[in-house]
Amino acid sequence: MVDVPELVDRARAGHPRAVARLISLVEGASPQLREVMAALAPLTGNAYVVGLTGSPGVGKSTTTSALVSAYRRTGRRVGVLAVDPSSPFSGGALLGDRVRMSEHTSDPGVYIRSMATRGHLGGLAWAAPQAVRVLDAAGCDIVLVETVGVGQSEVEIAAQADTSVVLLAPGMGDGIQAAKAGILEIGDVYVVNKADRDGADATARELNHMLGLGEARAPGDWRPPIVKTVAARGEGIDEVVTALDKHRAWMEEHGVLAERRLRRAAGEVETIAVTALRARIADLHGDRRVDALAARVVAGSLDPYGAADTLLEGLTG
């Protein structure tokens, strides 16, 4: 058994191994997970969570690394959660993002963790919200969450971050994506990376056109800015940081930040409750109550919804 209070104290003191151990307890759904979350709860709420998403190849990892450098120059502590796709065989992840951010590994003010999705859809690992809490409690001022990069379905980051950054690059078909619903509707800040390539200006124009289509913004509402960058050379990254800071200030002024965090917490509570309920239902496979209800459904004396209601009453009553 792990001494959770001691582990939390060490994480707060900046020991990377303690942070790693706490996240491992989260990822492994440890029996001590409830104790860990209870110990972390009073210590959270300080970190600003920025999600970065976009199609594969747009330079998410390079941009994330450049943002880490920019934030460190201002003295802010940074945590990075880089979510990698899982192997369908081992369940593990390539962890390539950590390789691309190796320049920061010796910096005590930076903590980088790669996480496998383990089959979870939406571009995030299921344990990502709790891992963010660990980094928040460990004293990170900024937490950057880089998603897998699977395309338009990867919109879950919008529900998990304070600010969502959508990255595009010229010449990758992203111009066509601008006309579609999905991933390009969740951005608070848009970044056209690899802006030294042909077509960068056209991509930015198409994005700007998309943002103007069907716009129903009232005066004072946030209009997502479009920032052009060459992340590999660090160009435009300071402008991205400025845009993020402006979005944070706007959200704080209009109460949007508190509203987003409330919604995020509500979703987290609901997910935990549904997961627990699903586990209890799984334990009922072969249970006589389920078999009896199934027999009534087959016989036509009870419909499936009525049977489910009866089952839930038995589980929650």
Side-chain angles (χ1 to χ4, degrees):
M1 296 289 284
V2 175
D3 186 337
V4 172
E6 180 189 354
L7 199 61
V8 171
D9 287 343
R10 287 173 54 217
R12 291 285 289 174
H15 294 282
R17 288 190 178 183
V19 179
R21 183 67 178 133
L22 285 171
I23 295 180
S24 294
L25 291 174
V26 166
E27 282 194 288
S30 165
Q32 291 183 276
L33 182 55
R34 290 176 180 270
E35 184 184 356
V36 170
M37 288 297 111
L40 295 180
L43 307 173
T44 59
N46 301 307
Y48 193 70
V49 184
V50 177
L52 294 98
T53 189
S55 301
V58 296
K60 291 190 300 297
S61 296
T62 306
T63 301
T64 300
S65 181
L67 283 172
V68 171
S69 297
Y71 280 124
R72 289 299 294 144
R73 285 195 294 271
T74 64
R76 284 178 272 192
R77 293 185 65 188
V78 185
V80 178
L81 285 182
V83 183
D84 281 321
S86 301
S87 162
F89 303 105
S90 67
L94 176 63
L95 311 186
D97 296 297
R98 183 174 289 184
V99 174
R100 285 187 285 273
M101 298 180 208
S102 58
E103 64 184 284
H104 303 295
T105 52
S106 61
D107 186 344
V110 179
Y111 182 86
I112 300 171
R113 176 75 173 221
S114 293
M115 299 180 72
T117 57
R118 301 190 181 185
H120 184 81
L121 299 178
L124 290 178
W126 74 272
Q130 285 78 33
V132 168
R133 286 181 179 274
V134 172
L135 295 176
D136 186 357
C140 291
D141 301 299
I142 303 289
V143 176
L144 303 174
V145 182
E146 181 197 329
T147 66
V148 173
V150 293
Q152 285 193 337
S153 65
E154 192 177 315
V155 297
E156 190 175 322
I157 188 62
Q160 300 293 345
D162 295 320
T163 296
S164 297
V165 178
V166 175
L167 281 87
L168 301 95
M172 299 188 66
D174 287 311
I176 299 173
Q177 305 298 327
K180 298 182 180 179
I183 194 172
L184 289 177
E185 293 184 347
I186 66 168
D188 298 305
V189 175
Y190 292 92
V191 173
V192 178
N193 191 33
K194 305 181 182 181
D196 52 343
R197 293 185 177 180
D198 291 339
D201 290 338
T203 300
R205 280 196 304 271
E206 289 176 3
L207 267 174
N208 192 51
H209 178 65
M210 180 206 73
L211 292 174
L213 286 175
E215 202 171 52
R217 293 185 178 89
D221 282 357
W222 177 258
R223 180 184 170 88
I226 300 167
V227 184
K228 290 188 287 186
T229 64
V230 183
R233 299 202 295 259
E235 296 175 12
I237 297 301
D238 287 341
E239 286 80 359
V240 176
V241 171
T242 298
L244 293 173
D245 289 342
K246 285 182 177 178
H247 185 240
R248 179 176 187 173
W250 177 85
M251 287 199 297
E252 288 174 343
E253 180 184 349
H254 292 81
V256 176
L257 182 58
E259 182 184 326
R260 286 192 177 188
R261 290 182 173 180
L262 184 64
R263 235 179 11 243
R264 190 161 76 221
E268 193 175 349
V269 170
E270 182 180 325
T271 298
I272 292 169
V274 169
T275 301
L277 190 59
R278 188 180 294 125
R280 292 180 66 181
I281 291 175
D283 290 340
L284 290 177
H285 280 305
D287 187 281
R288 289 182 180 178
R289 288 173 292 173
V290 178
D291 290 343
L293 289 168
R296 291 179 62 189
V297 171
V298 171
S301 62
L302 184 66
D303 68 273
Y305 286 93
D309 289 340
T310 302
L311 180 61
L312 286 173
E313 287 172 7
L315 287 172
T316 58

